[in-house]
Structures are given as C-alpha cells and as structure tokens.
Amino acid sequence: MAAMDDGARPAWAPPVLRGDRLEAGLRTLELEVRRRLDGLLQGNHLGLVPGPGSEPGEARPYQPGDDVRRMDWAVTARTTEPHIRDSVADRELETWIVADLSASLDFGSALCEKRDLVVCAVAAIAHLTGGGGNRIGALIATGAHTKRVPARGGLPHARGLVKTVATTERAPTGTHGDLAAAVEELRRPPRRRGLVVVISDFLGGTEWQRPLRALSARHDLIGIEVLDPRDVDLPDVGTVVLADPESGKQREVHASPLLRKEFAAAAGAHREQVARGLRRAGAGHLVLRTDSDWIADTVRFVVERKRRWSGAVG
C-alpha cells in the first residue's frame, strides 16, 4: 500500500509506524490516545470492564445478557422486577491481548494497513486498562511464530508492548495464520479472572469460536475486528488481481456488477458470522476500519458498554 502524503492525511489518521518514522509515530500515537481517550477514564478499570470484585455495589434492573448468577433476589422480591447486584471493581486487573499479525493484516487500501490498526488498538487497550496495580500482556501471532509478552504493569512496559507489536516481523507470503491456536494458548495455564482482547480481521475460518467461548467462563472478552474497504466490496475498476497473502495465490478477474454484488454478499455473510460468534462467546464487538476514525469508533464502543452496565436505555 502506498502511503498517503502527510498533507493529504486527515488529522484522525493513524501515524506512520514503520521505517525511520517508527519512533516519532509511536510518540504521536501515545499522545493522541491519551488526549482523546482521557474523557473515558472513569472508574477503577477505565471503562472497559465492569470490574466484578468482592464488595457488593448498587442494584440495578436486569438487562438481557446479564449474568444471572449476580441476581439480587432480595431486591427482586421487594420490587417484583428482576434486579442485578453489581460489585465494586477490584483494584487490579490483568489484561491479555491476542494480536493477530498474520499475512492478511499486511494490507490496506485506505489510510493505513490493517496491521497499523492492530498497533493502534493495542495502544488504546494499554491506555484504557493501565494504572494502579493493573498488568497487561500479549500473544502476538503471525502464523510463522507466536511471541508471548508477559503481563506486567507500568508505563514503560506498556510502551514496550506497543513497540513490540509495531516491530513484529511480517509473516512470509504463503504463511497461514492460526487465530484459534493463539486464543487456545491463553487457556494454559488457567489464569485468574481478567480481560481478554482479541484483535484480528477474522478472515478465513471461524475455528476460534470454541476456544473463545471456553475463555468466557473466566474472563471478560472483547473482539476487535479490523477491516479494510476492500475486505467487504470490490472496486468498480474493470479487471483486478485478487491475491490471498496467506496462500500466495493470485487470480485476475473482471469486476463485473454481478461479481461485485456476489462478493459483497459473501463478505457480508462472513461479517455476520463473525459478529454472531463473538456474541455467542459473550464478547464485546468493536469494528475498526482503515478508512474511519478509529479513536472515535473506540469511544463510541466504550460509551455504549458503560450505558449497558448502568442499565440505560434509548
């Protein structure tokens, strides 16, 4: 993907995170994340998880999807309406990120590559879960290898984690990613209750659904789906060459109206399958696109999660 000139890039576009501009890009990314996400920093866990702990909190009306094990039967009997008892957040949170950097992420037709959005998402998660005694770790999977970054606390560690993701070597063309294996690796050894965030384009098979559902028994889950416009529709440019970076295969096709319609329908069906799989696992679903303001999308996602926890409607 050819980089867009700085003068033509909108202010919300991710910074360039490669070559001799990596260090400056990482500094810009950190400043932008802090500036635009600071308004969300409310509560011990900064808005990403409700923070179940040992101390009882406020009771609120039951909402579809709430954990029935937290039902407050005394309030339910008194009001004749189902109520859930929230709990006060623990002061320490352990977050694990599964960062998919397989070959399909090394693509972008808009303002950046999808792997750049993975780096941005990691920076946002590190910021939104940092502070106090919280720790964050990661599994970085390229298909060729998987790198584990131990969970630790502190700003230097968070910065190092983001840089590690940004500097991870690209997988050779023809290397198949295995998101399901990376998610499964988090289950061994079992970890105390925390937050698991899976960042991927979720292209290909959906074998990751089973290990993700298994993780939901102990952890809060968030799935961050990274998309490019060409993942969901073909351009109306006549003949195009389609390439699968995870198999190395290429095919030249004529982007006729019928083909473009069928491609969009198949892509839409797959996107719905991904969304359904994340819902069944009880995971929050955030979509980031290479042609959209990723921080604004993140803000909307976090605010909506807060509204659901508080029982707000409308």
Side-chain angles (χ1 to χ4, degrees):
M1 182 198 74
M4 183 181 291
D5 293 338
D6 288 343
R9 292 171 66 86
W12 47 262
V16 178
L17 297 171
R18 57 182 57 85
D20 58 2
R21 302 177 68 177
L22 174 64
E23 294 294 340
L26 289 174
R27 289 194 296 271
T28 299
L29 175 61
E30 180 178 341
L31 291 173
E32 191 67 8
V33 166
R34 289 182 177 277
R35 181 180 69 85
R36 297 183 62 188
L37 293 183
D38 270 344
L40 298 177
L41 306 189
Q42 301 173 5
N44 292 331
H45 288 171
L46 311 186
L48 273 181
V49 293
S54 57
E55 299 181 24
E58 297 293 328
R60 62 171 176 81
Y62 172 85
Q63 298 291 323
D66 284 337
D67 187 348
V68 296
R69 292 173 297 182
R70 294 192 288 118
M71 190 75 74
D72 189 319
W73 296 110
V75 177
T76 298
R78 187 168 62 250
T79 63
T80 70
E81 294 183 4
H83 274 69
I84 289 290
R85 174 70 65 174
D86 284 330
S87 48
V88 177
D90 292 329
R91 293 193 177 275
E92 293 184 0
L93 172 73
E94 183 167 289
T95 298
W96 277 93
I97 296 174
V98 177
D100 179 10
L101 290 181
S102 54
S104 66
L105 279 294
D106 298 335
F107 171 78
S109 64
L111 297 171
C112 63
E113 293 182 348
K114 289 188 286 184
R115 69 178 287 133
D116 295 326
L117 279 187
V118 175
V119 179
C120 292
V122 171
I125 297 300
H127 181 59
L128 287 168
T129 60
N134 294 349
R135 297 181 298 275
I136 186 169
L139 290 174
I140 307 168
T142 68
H145 65 271
T146 299
K147 179 179 179 62
R148 180 186 292 264
V149 179
R152 297 193 178 98
L155 183 57
H157 171 71
R159 287 171 173 167
L161 173 60
V162 176
K163 185 173 182 178
T164 298
V165 176
T167 57
T168 295
E169 185 176 352
R170 295 171 185 256
T173 299
T175 302
H176 288 275
D178 193 344
L179 180 60
V183 175
E184 178 67 27
E185 192 170 333
L186 277 184
R187 298 179 58 204
R188 300 184 178 89
R191 308 175 191 281
R192 72 171 190 168
R193 180 175 172 82
L195 173 66
V196 171
V197 182
V198 180
I199 311 172
S200 176
D201 56 9
F202 295 98
L203 295 179
T206 57
E207 295 82 4
W208 48 266
Q209 293 186 43
R210 184 172 182 178
L212 194 64
R213 286 198 298 269
L215 281 174
S216 68
R218 294 180 61 88
H219 304 283
D220 290 293
L221 302 176
I222 295 176
I224 301 181
E225 185 179 11
V226 179
L227 293 179
D228 185 84
R230 296 289 80 85
D231 289 336
V232 293
D233 68 80
L234 292 177
D236 186 11
V237 293
T239 301
V240 295
V241 177
L242 303 180
D244 180 2
E246 295 196 10
S247 67
K249 296 181 179 179
Q250 295 186 351
R251 183 175 181 180
E252 184 177 291
V253 300
H254 178 67
S256 65
L258 177 59
L259 178 62
R260 294 175 62 229
K261 180 179 179 180
E262 292 177 343
F263 182 92
H270 183 72
R271 299 271 69 78
E272 176 53 35
Q273 187 179 20
V274 169
R276 186 165 56 248
L278 291 174
R279 285 196 303 269
R280 287 175 175 173
H285 185 194
L286 167 61
V287 178
L288 302 180
R289 292 176 55 109
T290 60
D291 60 347
S292 180
D293 185 340
W294 68 275
I295 293 187
D297 293 336
T298 302
V299 169
R300 283 190 288 268
F301 171 76
V302 176
V303 169
E304 179 59 29
R305 280 172 71 84
K306 285 186 176 183
R307 291 179 68 253
R308 288 200 298 270
W309 297 330
S310 65
V313 295

